Structure formats: structure tokens, C-alpha cells
């Protein structure tokens, strides 16, 4: 059946935009994208022959012999839409809204995938976790990740990355995160923004409805995340931690010995650390990522003792997880 409309839901269990990565054709919906350097519509007929029975195609490319042949295809749903990626995002948003369990979103310049994987390790056992596969954090990766949400889960951990203005607004609408982690902020994708301030503001748009946000404070006299979040979402509870002064917020103490480190986190005006964990890393990037994850896990209800045991499970994350568009 050929329908000239956006689907509100799909019968398929899996979604794909890559004709080379379809492993269960009868359970996969294929989104054909007519891009600048490629056209997914040229694979539609061969995928039908392999057993795919659900397609989302674009009006601009759906014509000629292919469209004529498809009229006779049996037990096949074909949705003709204006933009396949926008339709993918809309379907993912509808799917996400079916679930009420907490969703954590992770963004920043570096460390998103590592934090997502490590936080999942800390939370496994206490929660049934659904998370982004690999480094699926783009305009395409986020909706594909959200499709993994099921009734059996009770915690979602997803990463979000952007390269230009306007992208985070779409990701926020899909993810609608309850909690957030903001990782190391650096120079990645800076050329597409007029300033670091603009890029930071764009990334923080992800948390415009979030309840809690964990991040590192580098300068106690100037905290741009706190300032911008006051404008974007003043009701969000900020858990800014620092390694500078025990008088401010959450003071974090790192002690390195040999090939391992100890992380202690103390609330201002308290002497007892509510986090005291050992891990097998000594570099600052890993300590920063681990601290973000441990504090978030603590906010989710994991005890100091549980975290002390689980942080020993944290290992390096292979960069083979990365997926470049």
C-alpha cells in the first residue's frame, strides 16, 4: 500500500537508513534519503527483493519506473513523505513519549560516549538500562537510539552531539531528558558557531526542561553554564563540582597513586565524603568523566558502597564505537 502521508507508527522492530546493515529484513523499516552525494531510493527495489516490507521514501525521488513497480508489491507499506529524516525524528519522538521512566542526556565536546558507557555500567543491576548504541548521537543517531526503548527498561542513557546551530532543538524535542551530564567543553565543531558562548548556549538547549544537571566547574569566579542555565531553565537543579575549593558546591578530591586513583566528593560545609571510589585511571580526562558519572549515579540512588564496588568495573572504551556521518 502506498500512502502519501507521515506514518504515526511503524510495525517494524528495527529502523535503518543503511541498505548494507539490514539483518532481519521482514522486521526492518527502511528510510530512503535523497542526499547530496547519495540516493537511498536506488536500493528500495533490491531491499524489497530481500524481504523488507516497510519503506519511507521522499516525494522528490519517488517517481518513474520504481514508483510504478511498487504499486504491485504485496504486503508492503510505503509512506511517501517530504523529508525522510524529519519523519524518522517525528516517529522517534512519538515512541519516546510512550515511556515515563527517567532519561539522562549527555552532551559536551569530548567524553560523551565514554560517560554514556560508564554510567550504564554503574547503573546496570540497579536499573534495566537502554542506551545509545556506539556513538549514535547525531540527528540520525538519536532517533535510531530512541527506537530501542521498551517496556522492560526503566532508565534511558543517551548521548547528543551537534555540529551547527538549530540541531539541538530537534534533539531535545526527541529526547526530552529528565537529567543531564555536560562533559568537557572544547573546540570541536567551533567553526560553525560565531563564538564559544553561542556553541555552549546551543548545547545547553538540550536541558531546557531537565530537572538536574551534572557538570564540572573550571572557574569559581565565572561559571557560564550556571549563568546560561539560569536563562534557559532556572528550575533545573545544578550539580556543579570543582577540584578547586571545598567551600563551593561539590568539592572533588583526586588522589593518584601508581596506576590507580581515588575520587572523593564532599558537599560544601561537610567533612564526610558522600562519594569515595577507586578506579584504574590516572589521566585527568578519565577522572573528569568518571566523576560526572559517579555523581549522576549517586543522584539516581546508588549508595557510596555500591559505587565503591562498581567503579572498579570501569575500563577504557574502544574508540571503534565511533560512527561518523
Amino acid at each position: 500500500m502506498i500512502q502519501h502521508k507521515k506514518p504515526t507508527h511503524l510495525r517494524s522492530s528495527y529502523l535503518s537508513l543503511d541498505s548494507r546493515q539490514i539483518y532481519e529484513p521482514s522486521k526492518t523499516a527502511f528510510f530512503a534519503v535523497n542526499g547530496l552525494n547519495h540516493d537511498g531510493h536506488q536500493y528500495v527495489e533490491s531491499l524489497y527483493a530481500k524481504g523488507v516490507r516497510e519503506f519511507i521514501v521522499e516525494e522528490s525521488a519517488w517517481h518513474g519506473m520504481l514508483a510504478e513497480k511498487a504499486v504491485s508489491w504485496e504486503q508492503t507499506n510505503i509512506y511517501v513523505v517530504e523529508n525522510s529524516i524529519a519523519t524518522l525524528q517525528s516517529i522517534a519522538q512519538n515512541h519516546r513519549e510512550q515511556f515515563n521512566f527517567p532519561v539522562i542526556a549527555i552532551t559536551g565536546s569530548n567524553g560523551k560516549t565514554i560517560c554514556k558507557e560508564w554510567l550504564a555500567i554503574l547503573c546496570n543491576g540497579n536499573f534495566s538500562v537502554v542506551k545509545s548504541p556506539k556513538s549514535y548521537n547525531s540527528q540520525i543517531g538519536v532517533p535510531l537510539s530512541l527506537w530501542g526503548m521498551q517496556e522492560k527498561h526503566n532508565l534511558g542513557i543517551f548521548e547528543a552531539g551537534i555540529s551547527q546551530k538549530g540541531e539541538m532543538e530537534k534533539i531535545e524535542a526527541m529526547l526530552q531528558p529528565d537529567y543531564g551530564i555536560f562533559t568537557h567543553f572544547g573546540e570541536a565543531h567551533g567553526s560553525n558557531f560565531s563564538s564559544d558562548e553561542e556553541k555552549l548556549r546551543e548545547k545547553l538547549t538540550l536541558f531546557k526542561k531537565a530537572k538536574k544537571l551534572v557538570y564540572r566547574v573550571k572557574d569559581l569566579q565565572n561559571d557560564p553554564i550556571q549563568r546560561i542555565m539560569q536563562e534557559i531553565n532556572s528550575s533545573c537543579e545544578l550539580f556543579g563540582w570543582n577540584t578547586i575549593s571545598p567551600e563551593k558546591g561539590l568539592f572533588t578530591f583526586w588522589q593518584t597513586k601508581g596506576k590507580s586513583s581515588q575520587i572523593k566528593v564532599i558537599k560544601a560545609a561537610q567533612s564526610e565524603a558522600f562519594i569515595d571510589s577507586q578506579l584504574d585511571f590516572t589521566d585527568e580526562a578519565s577522572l573528569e568523566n568518571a566523576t560526572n558519572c559517579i555523581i549522576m549515579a549517586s543522584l539516581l540512588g546508588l549508595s557510596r558502597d555500591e559505587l565503591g564496588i562498581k567503579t572498579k568495573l570501569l575500563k577504557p572504551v574502544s574508540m571503534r564505537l565511533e560512527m561518523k556521518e
Side-chain angles (χ1 to χ4, degrees):
M1 182 184 293
I2 299 175
Q3 304 174 64
H4 289 260
K5 66 175 185 179
K6 271 188 178 183
T8 53
H9 66 277
L10 296 171
R11 65 190 186 194
S12 299
S13 304
Y14 309 105
L15 311 180
S16 177
L17 289 86
D18 189 339
S19 60
R20 300 163 301 178
Q21 295 187 14
I22 294 180
Y23 307 108
E24 294 193 53
S26 63
K27 297 180 180 179
T28 302
F30 179 71
F31 288 74
V33 177
N34 187 17
L36 292 173
N37 302 311
H38 70 282
D39 183 2
H41 297 79
Q42 64 184 309
Y43 305 110
V44 168
E45 188 173 3
S46 63
L47 289 175
Y48 172 76
K50 290 178 181 177
V52 175
R53 292 295 178 264
E54 202 159 31
F55 296 92
I56 293 81
V57 299
E58 296 183 342
E59 291 172 355
S60 62
W62 190 249
H63 48 69
M65 287 187 63
L66 177 61
E68 292 172 16
K69 283 183 183 178
V71 172
S72 63
W73 291 354
E74 296 180 356
Q75 297 181 319
T76 303
N77 281 346
I78 299 173
Y79 297 95
V80 185
V81 301
E82 183 179 346
N83 184 295
S84 291
I85 293 177
T87 301
L88 171 68
Q89 293 173 342
S90 175
I91 289 171
Q93 182 175 336
N94 291 340
H95 183 71
R96 188 270 180 259
E97 289 172 352
Q98 306 306 306
F99 303 94
N100 294 318
F101 57 76
V103 166
I104 301 165
I106 302 172
T107 195
S109 300
N110 307 99
K112 297 183 291 293
T113 301
I114 290 170
C115 279
K116 179 253 302 179
E117 295 292 332
W118 282 359
L119 183 59
I121 289 170
L122 295 177
C123 292
N124 275 330
N126 298 69
F127 296 92
S128 176
V129 176
V130 56
K131 61 183 175 71
S132 310
K134 304 182 181 180
S135 289
Y136 280 36
N137 59 37
S138 65
Q139 299 291 299
I140 293 172
V142 169
L144 292 177
S145 300
L146 284 170
W147 197 249
M149 295 177 80
Q150 298 177 26
E151 291 290 344
K152 66 181 181 180
H153 300 123
N154 57 16
L155 181 67
I157 307 173
F158 302 99
E159 54 179 293
I162 58 169
S163 57
Q164 55 191 348
K165 284 188 69 175
E167 290 184 335
M168 195 60 93
E169 195 80 32
K170 296 175 183 177
I171 289 178
E172 190 281 331
M174 289 185 280
L175 279 178
Q176 301 172 40
D178 303 282
Y179 308 112
I181 292 177
F182 195 92
T183 65
H184 177 77
F185 182 65
E187 297 177 358
H189 303 298
S191 60
N192 294 330
F193 298 91
S194 62
S195 65
D196 282 349
E197 171 91 6
E198 182 182 73
K199 184 171 70 169
L200 180 60
R201 188 176 291 273
E202 178 77 10
K203 288 179 181 288
L204 289 172
T205 303
L206 180 60
F207 308 117
K208 67 180 184 180
K209 295 175 187 170
K211 300 168 188 171
K212 297 178 181 180
L213 176 62
V214 175
Y215 65 101
R216 182 181 183 182
V217 180
K218 295 284 188 72
D219 183 349
L220 297 178
Q221 307 306 315
N222 176 29
D223 182 355
I225 292 179
Q226 182 183 48
R227 172 172 51 79
I228 295 171
M229 284 301 296
Q230 197 61 36
E231 300 171 30
I232 291 176
N233 179 3
S234 60
S235 63
C236 182
E237 191 174 0
L238 302 181
F239 292 85
W241 57 272
N242 75 89
T243 58
I244 305 164
S245 170
E247 306 300 320
K248 297 281 187 177
L250 299 177
F251 175 63
T252 301
F253 176 71
W254 295 334
Q255 185 173 33
T256 299
K257 188 175 182 180
K259 295 182 179 180
S260 64
S261 301
Q262 182 179 30
I263 294 177
K264 288 187 178 184
V265 184
I266 303 168
K267 294 176 182 175
Q270 293 186 4
S271 57
E272 182 73 16
F274 72 97
I275 289 171
D276 188 349
S277 296
Q278 302 271 351
L279 64 162
D280 296 328
F281 299 97
T282 58
D283 63 289
E284 184 169 344
S286 294
L287 292 172
E288 181 173 334
N289 290 328
T291 303
N292 279 324
C293 295
I294 294 168
I295 292 174
M296 178 55 74
S298 175
L299 294 177
L300 291 170
L302 274 74
S303 69
R304 170 175 154 159
D305 290 343
E306 285 176 310
L307 289 169
I309 294 168
K310 290 191 169 188
T311 49
K312 294 173 183 175
L313 303 175
L314 303 183
K315 304 297 179 187
V317 173
S318 170
M319 293 328 324
R320 286 176 298 172
L321 288 173
E322 290 188 354
M323 182 185 77
K324 306 292 187 188
E325 280 195 69

